[in-house]
Amino acid sequence: MEKAMQSAHGIGYEVYKRKHEIRMQVERRRENDYIQSRRLIADLDRKVHAHL
């Protein structure tokens, strides 16, 4: 878990766990990434189905 947090967000899990503001920043970034990926999937889906 420590390596994943460090590589994905540039902070260690202990810092993430202790500091509320850091945790909120990470969670906002995760939420934005999720929304962007859902939009990308929806766009690709529309393109695929438009050509059928």
Side-chain angles (χ1 to χ4, degrees):
M1 167 110 42
E2 182 69 26
K3 285 182 181 180
M5 283 295 290
Q6 192 67 40
S7 66
H9 303 290
I11 60 161
Y13 184 72
E14 282 300 315
V15 174
Y16 171 85
K17 198 167 69 172
R18 273 187 280 121
K19 301 206 180 224
H20 179 73
E21 187 57 37
I22 299 289
R23 192 166 49 246
M24 291 297 100
Q25 288 173 358
V26 168
E27 294 308 321
R28 275 188 227 105
R29 196 175 319 135
R30 283 180 178 167
E31 179 73 17
N32 288 336
D33 287 348
Y34 175 77
I35 290 168
Q36 286 178 350
S37 69
R38 296 304 301 167
R39 286 181 183 152
L40 178 64
I41 290 168
D43 287 346
L44 290 172
D45 227 17
R46 275 194 297 278
K47 288 177 182 178
V48 166
H49 289 104
H51 294 292
L52 294 179

